[in-house]
Amino acid sequence: MPSTYLFAASSEGRVYTLSTSSAAWRELPYLGLEFKKICAVSNFLWAIGGDRQVYVHVHGLDVPIRIREESYENERWLPIEGFSKTLLPTDRYRYSSADGSVERSVDKIRLPSMAWQWDGDWHLDLELDGQQLPEDGWMYALDFPASYSAKKSWNSYVRRRKWIRFRRYAALNSWCAVAPLHKDPTQEPFIDVAIGGTNVPNAPAGTLCVWAITAHGRAMFRTGVSKTSPEGLRWTAVPTPTGSELSQISVGPTGLVWAVLYNGRVIVRTGVTRDNLSGDSWLDVKTPVAASTLRIVHVSVGTDAVWCVTNDHHAWFRRGIKGEAAGISEDSAIGKGWVEMVGNISMISVAANDQVFAVGAADRCLYHRSGVTAADPTGKKWRLIQCPMQISRTSSSLSIVSRKSGGSSSTPGSKHQSFSNLYSKEKEKGVVETVAMIETVLHSSTGSCSSNGAPGLLKNERWKLSADSPPTIGSLNLNDRHKQRTAALRETSHASSAPAAEVVEITGKFETQLRNPRAWSPVRSVGSVVGMEAHPESDSAVFESDSTHHGSDVFLGEDDDHTGSQFWTECGILWSCVAPGAVTVDSSNMPNWFNEQQASDSKVDVNANWRKDILSKLQRRQERLDKLKSVAKFEKAVELSSWVKSADARYQRPGGEFEDCIIELEWVSASGTAGSQSGDSGTFTVLSPDGAATKIQFPLSDITCVQCCSEAGSPRIAIHAPHLPVNCSPVKLQFSSDSEMEDWLSHLSSVCSQINTLVGKPASNAIWLTSDLGDVFVFDAANMKAQQTSEPGEGYVEKMDVSTCETPYYNTLYNGMPIGTELEISGCVYDDADQIRFDLQSHSTLKVQPHRVEKQRVIALHVNPRFNERTTVLNSMTESEWLDEIRNDKMVFAPGATFTLKIKALPDHYLIIVNSAVYTDYKYRIDPESVTRLYVSGRIKLFSVLYRCPTPIISMERMHWRQMGGHIKRVFNSGVDVVWGISCDNTAWVYNGGWGGMFLKGLEGSGKINPMIDTHTYYVYENQRWNPISGFTAKSLPTDRHMWSDASGKQKRSKEHTKLLSTHCEWISDWAIDYNIPGGADKEGWQYAIDFPANYHANKKLTDCVRRRRWMKRCRLSSSGPWQELSQSKILDAALQVLDDDVDSGQGEISTPVAAWAVASNGDVLIRHGVSNLNPRGDAWEHITSDQPLVGISVGPSGQVWTVARNGMVFFRYGISRQNPCGDAWQQVEAPAGVTFKAISVGRSGIWALDNQQRLAVRKEISKTFPEGSHWQFLPNAANIPPHTEQHCGFRSVSVGSEVWAISLNGIICRRCGITKENPAGVGWNLGIAGQWQNVSVEGYM
């Protein structure tokens, strides 16, 4: 699970953060301003400062907030002047928005506040629907508004061009002032602020809701707040019921708002929806007990939970809250009743996943409510959060802690006392005990104290301040009250750990920092960074630090201190506020925040009778063992071990139907003698239900892959074994439950790994693969290399089994016939043979005709001894036509005689040797690397076929794929032990070198296994057709698609029949309309079109006869594997590459740098610095701007970076060098008209891309002078020509390294063969197993 952060504010007004992956508090940089109240969501903090104004803090963003401003320049053609700036009175503005309704003059577009900076100047956007525009950028049309095109025609009467400019939020990692309500901020200051709304149902991504309360008791809603607009637009007053003055407010993740009144009552805002974030009306909620003395003083809202605190410091839980439905159901918003909880607390706060945190009333410590789950939302008990403080030299508390005169401000005894105070029924007694305890520490640490009990008085007064109602605005003196309270708090909190003289000195230093309130006054510099007053265009020094270090490592980075600037101390802070809105705590996997001491009554009884009995038996056993004179002469107790596992299942016959069966797994493990190899073996058998007949049986050594292929409600596994009869592989088995399926999957995976001696970390040059279910597999060629190595210097040898083969004989030559390859064929010619034939064949070329596709044969070498003509013919064939043949009358083959034929590939010709004598040579007519298979025909009996190659011979069908663990959608391997992955929710992960996880269920795993959480969205489309009588209805034409279907309309779907894939998945939302569908939707979520299928749009037109809308439901998958989180940033794509200049630098223990690039979730480009084989995670992200949002990226071995934009355009980065690793600018690569791409991959085998029609294209004529090439060559997708079928014609993904591999639409892994410099597109595909694969990574394979 990604690291998240808990925020809290101390009684001194300092803000601290605690990471779920850490066990120490860290203070945010102190900028001279204290805070009274903080609230948080991920990456955003809102707070009330000591000046009673609102501040926002944006942090932890690797990708800066960057907004594109657009302005359209419009012109009309006039008969005399031509295109002119003079427009008709009915026309749009000269500079307008896209629809022409708003004037957008470039000289009037300003920055929202001083927190923003312009990122570049105004420039033209030269793109229209994925096509390049001329340099002047004009788009032509018949009239306003209409469809625009890049070409001018005779009836083009209007034109427009788009000017763009980017602005960037520059106040990252700093407190930014938000505009006050009035020119004088003291006229109506703020007393509370709350942020939420991250999960408002169906709201656009990034939506946030911010509410605040003024000192007049008014409720304020901040409009326009989102993750791309942190400070929002303006404050809007929300009317409250007459006589209701608000004192505190809370906003939940779904936008649900609860507010507390000064009289102790609570009101709830209803009607909060995606279209009305501020809600409709207020509802009153009764107090927990109908008594005049019990008042609610604090409330906090979660997703499905509301907690409150009453004036007697008791906590209460509200039953019946349903956040998802709160906007449309009043009952879901107000709940059903109160439940009292145990505790003595002053403040409570609920996280987005309904985890509860609180501040103790007597001890001011932080607590977490343990055991809170969906089934038990109230939890079990309060647990004290005990974490030390990590203080750096820049910390505001460093000088205080470093001058401690003795003892600690928080001893174990004091913590135990504080914990008991939480459950104290008598609050006054708890306060007295705490005060007395602090007084004791005071006298013991300072010797003689001159305060005479003043600290105790101040502490009691502080509790009164927090409980009293705010004064009227007329008697409010913010500056005096702030100074008095700050001085009192500092004196009490530091007196226990520092001498009185030093406290005075430190207080004076703080006062010096606050003498100039103008520096951060929101009146004079709205949006400026706290501590300075500047304009973003005139004073760049304000934002210099943010422009270079804007990532999460500024203050939320790792806890490791490499410079020695930090140290640890006991955390004796008195807390005033906690903000868990940005933290995600899993109740089943709690962070290391708790250090609960063992109770004194839980001591181990060492004198128990059962313990004495066990010890005495062990002692007697050791005595008998000592009496044996020699142990060596005894044989081993177990030489062979075997076991049989059986179960009932359902076996899928080759016809496709499942039938009942019994499966058996027999395993024999032989320990062997010292120095010998393991003799492990096993057999897998499928029997009939009565066990009498065997349906199928094969050894475990034949298995090449075991994978889960479950469907909803049908737990299944597939066992791939290529030696099985045709149509029998893979063997698919269905089980009655997920647990039984996972049990068999773990056992089969474990024993197959033992047989193939594959344990732990794979080789650095392995091939990584992911399935459509998110399982990760690896092929490691080390075992296959060991089997093919014969003698040193002879390369790799594969002996093909031809004992049962008859002619015609086919066999795939997986490496082709590159230089240095040798093929040896031995056999005997029958007596009645007229002629025999040996062919080295290549893949057939495809010639696309208007209505059909022709296959044209290609033969690189044809050796044809003809006994009836007493000659041997040598020839080649291309495009199904023979070339000029060569005849050799020297006959070395004879009927009835044995022979040995050797074909060697030399630099420019084949050398043919027959019976150990050189027969002839044959000059290449077709590239030998394009050879794919051997063909032998005629009356001949083969004895053996040997295939020798200088490189390992990788048989696609016999590659063993081992499941590694985890749940990953895409994986990237660099080739030097740096492997990254991306999950379905776009979280980036790094492989940590282990093996195992949930799929192994604890069997023989290795390495560190971490929990992994992923989310997935299910979609169902509702389709309707219009008819003249009743309008749009669910009644369709016979030729229409299903009324409830998938996106294509071919598969029937429904909300009621949608099931989870496994027991590890759980629903986290209900079915809801998806308004964020591509193409837009109206207020009800509908999209309209002329017919099915067509281009859909949001607004209904006169000719639209069909419509659809998309329903979505989200689920969460819990898994585990050898992966750890890379960073907080979500990424869409990544690329890892070891550059040619760095290949030789990684020998031995030297660090090998890796070029690591990624595309962030918003389409921006990131480069990761510091990635190497010794540091796979790297150090920090650097942002690279791009005018177009991107979706794909790839890095070549020379360092060249290629990207694919969201609109399908392709760009490459020029100017990249060792001195300038980020390059200079993006340059577009033109594509054929109407072609848009969606993925790209660059490697030593070329530049390949995948377009939106699932076609592969390769870049031609690449050279050092023109590294971007000249044009694209597309590979035709021909139906029924492998790997394509009639239903699945195309490819899912492609990966390019030293070779080109791809995944077809029907889930088959393919390798492109015959790729040469002259023919970068290759000649055909070698096919592997069909495992419903999704993505492959061969960038590191060589």
Side-chain angles (χ1 to χ4, degrees):
M1 179 185 294
S3 300
T4 53
Y5 299 93
L6 175 69
F7 293 91
S10 68
S11 56
E12 293 181 324
R14 309 293 167 82
V15 181
Y16 299 85
T17 178
L18 180 62
S19 170
T20 54
S21 60
S22 173
W25 288 98
R26 303 183 70 181
E27 182 183 357
L28 268 67
Y30 177 66
L31 301 176
L33 180 68
E34 289 79 23
F35 295 96
K36 297 182 176 297
K37 170 69 186 299
I38 61 172
C39 56
V41 294
S42 296
N43 305 118
F44 299 91
L45 274 171
W46 283 67
I48 301 293
D51 57 352
R52 295 290 186 178
Q53 296 303 313
V54 179
Y55 294 85
V56 61
H57 189 284
V58 185
H59 56 270
L61 293 178
D62 295 316
V63 182
I65 301 173
R66 195 163 171 263
I67 304 299
R68 183 166 81 168
E69 296 286 356
E70 298 179 352
S71 177
Y72 288 84
E73 181 183 0
N74 306 299
E75 290 186 354
R76 176 174 286 279
W77 185 85
L78 300 178
I80 299 177
E81 302 177 11
F83 280 102
S84 171
K85 299 177 182 179
T86 304
L87 301 175
L88 298 179
T90 56
D91 280 340
R92 55 187 59 188
Y93 299 98
R94 180 186 168 192
Y95 288 93
S96 69
S97 58
D99 59 1
S101 60
V102 180
E103 184 179 5
R104 298 277 293 172
S105 180
V106 293
D107 55 349
K108 295 181 181 179
I109 298 177
R110 305 291 184 183
L111 292 172
S113 70
M114 293 183 65
W116 293 85
Q117 277 184 316
W118 286 118
D119 197 358
D121 297 324
W122 288 100
H123 61 278
L124 289 171
D125 184 9
L126 302 180
E127 179 270 333
L128 174 64
D129 298 331
Q131 301 298 319
Q132 182 78 2
L133 291 174
E135 293 184 358
D136 56 7
W138 289 109
M139 301 171 282
Y140 298 88
L142 175 64
D143 199 356
F144 299 121
S147 298
Y148 293 88
S149 64
K151 293 183 179 181
K152 178 184 175 182
S153 60
W154 65 271
N155 60 350
S156 298
Y157 292 103
V158 296
R159 69 178 182 178
R160 72 175 184 180
R161 58 182 174 180
K162 181 165 62 174
W163 293 88
I164 59 174
R165 191 180 189 185
F166 291 88
R167 54 182 170 91
R168 178 171 59 89
Y169 188 79
L172 296 177
N173 305 305
S174 296
W175 289 101
C176 176
V178 178
L181 293 174
H182 308 283
K183 218 168 188 181
D184 182 7
T186 61
Q187 182 177 344
E188 190 174 7
F190 293 90
I191 61 174
D192 195 18
V193 68
I195 184 172
T198 54
N199 296 321
V200 176
N202 304 314
T207 300
L208 296 174
C209 298
V210 175
W211 290 71
I213 297 177
T214 68
H216 293 174
R218 293 201 300 163
M220 293 289 170
F221 177 77
R222 188 73 179 175
T223 59
V225 181
S226 67
K227 293 186 177 180
T228 56
S229 178
E231 75 271 71
L233 299 178
R234 66 187 64 84
W235 290 110
T236 302
V238 179
T240 55
T242 304
S244 300
E245 292 188 3
L246 307 184
S247 63
Q248 189 259 329
I249 198 167
S250 179
V251 186
T254 60
L256 178 61
V257 180
W258 283 54
V260 180
L261 309 181
Y262 278 124
N263 58 14
R265 293 189 298 109
V266 175
I267 56 177
V268 180
R269 190 70 174 172
T270 60
V272 177
T273 62
R274 61 183 296 270
D275 299 319
N276 185 16
L277 294 176
S278 59
D280 295 329
S281 60
W282 296 97
L283 292 178
D284 188 31
V285 178
K286 297 180 180 179
T287 56
V289 180
S292 59
T293 58
L294 191 64
R295 297 182 296 112
I296 296 177
V297 296
H298 192 277
V299 70
S300 182
V301 184
T303 300
D304 293 327
V306 171
W307 292 67
C308 77
V309 179
T310 52
N311 57 345
D312 60 352
H313 298 307
H314 282 196
W316 298 77
F317 170 77
R318 186 72 176 178
R319 294 184 294 106
I321 301 294
K322 298 295 181 183
E324 290 283 344
I328 57 177
S329 170
E330 293 183 357
D331 293 337
S332 299
I334 65 176
K336 299 178 181 179
W338 294 102
V339 178
E340 185 175 8
M341 298 289 110
V342 177
N344 184 24
I345 60 177
S346 62
M347 183 263 183
I348 200 166
S349 191
V350 185
N353 62 345
D354 293 338
Q355 297 295 311
V356 184
F357 297 81
V359 177
D363 52 20
R364 312 302 292 182
C365 292
L366 287 185
Y367 296 89
H368 171 256
R369 187 73 176 175
S370 65
V372 174
T373 61
D376 184 12
T378 60
K380 304 297 183 184
K381 65 175 182 178
W382 295 105
R383 298 182 67 186
L384 176 65
I385 298 178
Q386 302 186 73
C387 294
M389 180 66 63
Q390 183 179 356
I391 300 180
S392 64
R393 290 197 175 102
T394 60
S395 173
S396 62
S397 305
L398 175 62
S399 58
I400 301 172
V401 180
S402 61
R403 291 197 294 260
K404 284 185 179 181
S405 58
S408 173
S409 63
S410 181
T411 62
S414 66
K415 288 183 179 180
H416 182 73
Q417 183 68 34
S418 300
F419 191 73
S420 66
N421 286 336
L422 181 70
Y423 292 98
S424 173
K425 294 297 183 181
E426 299 177 7
K427 299 176 296 298
E428 295 179 358
K429 181 179 179 181
V431 174
V432 171
E433 288 178 354
T434 307
V435 172
M437 177 182 62
I438 292 180
E439 288 177 350
T440 304
V441 177
L442 268 170
H443 290 289
S444 63
S445 60
T446 59
S448 60
C449 182
S450 59
S451 61
N452 294 328
L457 179 60
L458 287 172
K459 189 158 186 128
N460 282 314
E461 290 176 353
R462 181 172 61 189
W463 307 140
K464 293 179 181 179
L465 285 175
S466 63
D468 291 344
S469 300
T472 60
I473 200 65
S475 62
L476 187 66
N477 190 337
L478 289 175
N479 292 331
D480 294 342
R481 182 172 179 178
H482 171 67
K483 290 181 180 179
Q484 293 175 4
R485 181 166 178 174
T486 302
L489 294 181
R490 291 201 181 115
E491 186 175 353
T492 55
S493 61
H494 295 315
S496 61
S497 58
E502 293 177 341
V503 173
V504 174
E505 177 187 350
I506 293 169
T507 305
K509 185 179 83 168
F510 289 158
E511 289 177 353
T512 303
Q513 295 178 352
L514 295 176
R515 283 176 183 172
N516 184 17
R518 292 173 57 90
W520 41 264
S521 171
V523 180
R524 298 173 178 85
S525 55
V526 173
S528 65
V529 179
V530 171
M532 56 199 68
E533 186 171 345
H535 194 276
E537 294 183 348
S538 61
D539 189 0
S540 60
V542 176
F543 307 105
E544 282 181 357
S545 60
D546 295 326
S547 63
T548 56
H549 298 288
H550 58 265
S552 59
D553 57 337
V554 176
F555 69 93
L556 300 177
E558 299 297 323
D559 295 325
D560 301 333
D561 178 25
H562 302 290
T563 61
S565 62
Q566 299 166 344
F567 65 93
W568 305 87
T569 180
E570 287 289 338
C571 181
I573 293 178
L574 302 178
W575 302 104
S576 64
C577 177
V578 61
V583 72
T584 302
V585 176
D586 187 1
S587 58
S588 61
N589 185 28
M590 296 299 298
N592 189 23
W593 292 350
F594 311 99
N595 185 23
E596 296 170 345
Q597 300 176 356
Q598 189 177 13
S600 58
D601 57 351
S602 60
K603 295 181 179 180
V604 177
D605 186 5
V606 297
N607 295 320
N609 293 331
W610 62 270
R611 183 181 296 273
K612 291 181 179 180
D613 181 57
I614 293 176
L615 292 175
S616 62
K617 290 181 179 179
L618 290 173
Q619 186 176 5
R620 289 195 299 270
R621 178 185 175 187
Q622 185 64 33
E623 291 175 354
R624 291 195 301 268
L625 185 61
D626 293 340
K627 293 179 181 179
L628 295 176
K629 296 181 180 180
S630 177
V631 183
K633 64 181 181 181
F634 292 96
E635 296 181 358
K636 292 184 178 180
V638 177
E639 192 71 27
L640 291 175
S641 63
S642 64
W643 48 264
V644 177
K645 180 179 177 62
S646 62
D648 294 329
R650 292 176 61 83
Y651 164 68
Q652 185 179 26
R653 296 188 303 173
E657 296 181 357
F658 282 89
E659 59 184 15
D660 295 336
C661 68
I662 297 176
I663 56 175
E664 283 188 357
L665 172 63
E666 182 180 2
W667 173 254
V668 179
S669 176
S671 60
T673 58
S676 66
Q677 294 184 351
S678 174
D680 296 341
S681 63
T683 305
F684 186 83
T685 309
V686 179
L687 303 171
S688 58
D690 57 1
T694 300
K695 295 178 180 293
I696 193 170
Q697 185 177 40
F698 52 90
L700 297 180
S701 57
D702 286 352
I703 296 178
T704 57
C705 181
V706 181
Q707 65 173 156
C708 174
C709 60
S710 297
E711 297 179 1
S714 301
R716 297 172 184 169
I717 63 173
I719 305 174
H720 296 268
H723 294 299
L724 293 178
V726 181
N727 297 329
C728 289
S729 180
V731 177
K732 290 189 177 181
L733 301 171
Q734 180 172 314
F735 297 88
S736 58
S737 65
D738 287 323
S739 59
E740 189 175 11
M741 182 273 294
E742 293 169 358
D743 183 47
W744 276 89
L745 178 64
S746 63
H747 278 84
L748 286 170
S749 300
S750 178
V751 296
C752 289
S753 298
Q754 292 183 45
I755 288 178
N756 292 277
T757 63
L758 298 173
V759 179
K761 182 179 179 181
S764 59
N765 63 342
I767 299 177
W768 291 70
L769 195 64
T770 60
S771 69
D772 56 358
L773 296 182
D775 297 326
V776 184
F777 293 82
V778 166
F779 165 70
D780 192 343
N783 195 18
M784 190 172 287
K785 289 180 181 179
Q787 296 175 1
Q788 296 174 2
T789 304
S790 56
E791 296 182 5
E794 292 192 3
Y796 300 90
V797 180
E798 181 184 11
K799 185 175 182 180
M800 304 174 184
D801 184 14
V802 294
S803 58
T804 60
C805 294
E806 298 290 340
T807 54
Y809 169 76
Y810 290 91
N811 204 319
T812 303
L813 305 178
Y814 289 99
N815 288 15
M817 290 291 291
I819 296 173
T821 304
E822 178 180 327
L823 191 62
E824 180 178 330
I825 308 168
S826 63
C828 177
V829 182
Y830 287 109
D831 295 337
D832 56 349
D834 290 335
Q835 63 177 354
I836 59 175
R837 178 177 177 177
F838 306 91
D839 287 352
L840 298 182
Q841 299 182 352
S842 299
H843 276 291
S844 300
T845 58
L846 302 179
K847 188 174 182 180
V848 180
Q849 301 291 345
H851 302 290
R852 59 191 176 91
V853 177
E854 291 184 358
K855 294 178 64 175
Q856 297 180 335
R857 299 171 59 198
V858 178
I859 300 176
L861 174 61
H862 170 70
V863 181
N864 180 209
R866 301 177 182 178
F867 304 118
N868 52 357
E869 300 179 19
R870 298 196 57 80
T871 186
T872 300
V873 177
L874 304 177
N875 205 346
S876 298
M877 176 186 285
T878 178
E879 295 183 355
S880 296
E881 294 184 359
W882 289 106
L883 305 182
D884 296 336
E885 65 181 24
I886 300 174
R887 288 177 175 264
N888 193 328
D889 294 335
K890 180 183 178 182
M891 291 298 296
V892 291
F893 296 91
T898 61
F899 67 89
T900 301
L901 171 64
K902 290 184 180 180
I903 304 175
K904 290 185 177 181
L906 300 182
D908 59 350
H909 65 275
Y910 292 110
L911 180 62
I912 302 175
I913 302 173
V914 181
N915 298 329
S916 301
V918 176
Y919 176 63
T920 186
D921 56 28
Y922 184 80
K923 192 173 182 179
Y924 295 143
R925 299 182 181 181
I926 296 174
D927 195 331
E929 294 190 10
S930 66
V931 174
T932 59
R933 65 179 179 175
L934 168 67
Y935 171 73
V936 181
S937 67
R939 295 285 294 158
I940 188 174
K941 174 62 179 178
L942 294 177
F943 297 155
S944 67
V945 177
L946 293 180
Y947 181 40
R948 292 187 179 90
C949 194
T951 58
I953 304 167
I954 306 300
S955 173
M956 297 286 291
E957 294 179 349
R958 292 195 291 272
M959 298 173 69
H960 182 82
W961 297 99
R962 174 169 61 119
Q963 188 169 348
M964 295 303 299
H967 188 267
I968 298 294
K969 179 178 66 173
R970 298 192 61 188
V971 68
F972 312 90
N973 180 26
S974 66
V976 290
D977 294 331
V978 178
V979 181
W980 287 7
I982 300 177
S983 56
C984 292
D985 60 358
N986 296 326
T987 301
W989 299 86
V990 179
Y991 174 64
N992 62 16
W995 172 55
M998 187 170 293
F999 82 100
L1000 270 185
K1001 302 186 73 172
L1003 294 178
E1004 293 100 13
S1006 63
K1008 185 178 180 181
I1009 306 301
N1010 300 316
M1012 301 178 69
I1013 304 295
D1014 200 0
T1015 57
H1016 181 68
T1017 305
Y1018 287 78
Y1019 294 110
V1020 174
Y1021 287 82
E1022 180 184 2
N1023 308 298
Q1024 290 187 357
R1025 176 173 287 277
W1026 182 87
N1027 65 70
I1029 299 176
S1030 56
F1032 283 103
T1033 64
K1035 295 181 180 180
S1036 62
L1037 298 178
T1039 57
D1040 274 345
R1041 58 182 57 189
H1042 301 283
M1043 290 296 97
W1044 290 87
S1045 68
D1046 61 353
S1048 66
K1050 298 178 181 179
Q1051 301 293 329
K1052 188 176 182 179
R1053 298 283 188 269
S1054 67
K1055 295 189 294 183
E1056 295 77 12
H1057 294 89
T1058 301
K1059 299 180 181 179
L1060 290 172
L1061 193 61
S1062 71
T1063 56
H1064 303 296
C1065 300
E1066 60 176 340
W1067 295 116
I1068 56 176
S1069 72
D1070 293 326
W1071 285 108
I1073 299 174
D1074 184 8
Y1075 295 91
N1076 302 317
I1077 186 173
D1082 62 8
K1083 291 185 177 181
E1084 296 181 353
W1086 292 106
Q1087 290 184 311
Y1088 300 88
I1090 297 177
D1091 201 354
F1092 297 124
N1095 294 325
Y1096 294 91
H1097 43 267
N1099 299 318
K1100 185 181 182 306
K1101 299 179 181 179
L1102 185 63
T1103 56
D1104 291 334
C1105 296
V1106 297
R1107 67 177 182 177
R1108 72 172 186 179
R1109 61 179 172 183
R1110 186 166 73 177
W1111 294 79
M1112 66 176 184
K1113 192 175 186 180
R1114 299 174 66 241
C1115 75
R1116 178 172 55 224
L1117 171 65
S1118 301
S1119 181
S1120 62
W1123 302 84
Q1124 62 185 28
E1125 176 203 0
L1126 174 65
S1127 69
Q1128 289 287 318
S1129 297
K1130 304 288 187 180
I1131 62 176
L1132 301 177
D1133 195 13
L1136 302 176
Q1137 187 70 256
V1138 178
L1139 305 184
D1140 290 335
D1141 297 338
D1142 301 324
V1143 170
D1144 298 330
S1145 65
Q1147 305 298 326
E1149 297 297 328
I1150 302 176
S1151 176
T1152 303
V1154 177
W1157 292 66
V1159 177
S1161 57
N1162 65 345
D1164 288 342
V1165 177
L1166 300 173
I1167 181 172
R1168 187 79 172 175
H1169 295 295
V1171 179
S1172 68
N1173 59 327
L1174 302 181
N1175 183 22
R1177 293 184 62 186
D1179 298 326
W1181 291 108
E1182 180 177 352
H1183 176 255
I1184 297 177
T1185 59
S1186 173
D1187 290 347
Q1188 297 290 339
L1190 306 176
V1191 294
I1193 194 167
S1194 184
V1195 183
S1198 62
Q1200 194 178 40
V1201 177
W1202 290 67
T1203 60
V1204 177
R1206 191 174 297 165
N1207 57 16
M1209 300 173 68
V1210 175
F1211 299 87
F1212 79 95
R1213 187 83 174 170
Y1214 66 84
I1216 295 178
S1217 63
R1218 185 181 290 271
Q1219 294 75 24
N1220 183 22
C1222 297
D1224 296 328
W1226 297 103
Q1227 180 173 329
Q1228 183 187 353
V1229 178
E1230 292 188 7
V1235 175
T1236 56
F1237 294 96
K1238 63 179 181 180
I1240 195 165
S1241 184
V1242 185
R1244 290 176 173 82
S1245 294
I1247 301 170
W1248 291 63
L1250 181 65
D1251 71 356
N1252 284 303
Q1253 297 179 9
Q1254 286 75 44
R1255 296 182 303 171
L1256 286 176
V1258 60
R1259 196 71 179 167
K1260 299 279 286 187
E1261 299 180 4
I1262 297 175
S1263 62
K1264 291 184 178 181
T1265 307
F1266 298 101
E1268 68 275 15
S1270 61
H1271 65 280
W1272 293 102
Q1273 176 186 347
F1274 287 84
L1275 276 63
N1277 291 340
N1280 297 322
I1281 295 180
H1284 310 297
T1285 62
E1286 192 70 38
Q1287 294 80 18
H1288 302 91
C1289 190
F1291 293 90
R1292 293 182 179 179
S1293 63
V1294 63
S1295 178
V1296 182
S1298 299
E1299 299 177 351
V1300 177
W1301 292 57
I1303 307 295
S1304 64
L1305 279 182
N1306 52 359
I1308 301 176
I1309 184 169
C1310 315
R1311 181 177 66 175
R1312 192 70 176 174
C1313 59
I1315 295 177
T1316 61
K1317 291 183 178 179
E1318 294 75 19
N1319 183 21
V1323 295
W1325 297 101
N1326 287 337
L1327 306 184
I1329 61 177
Q1332 290 304 313
W1333 307 116
Q1334 190 72 27
N1335 289 97
V1336 62
S1337 174
V1338 298
E1339 288 84 355
Y1341 176 68
M1342 22 180 105

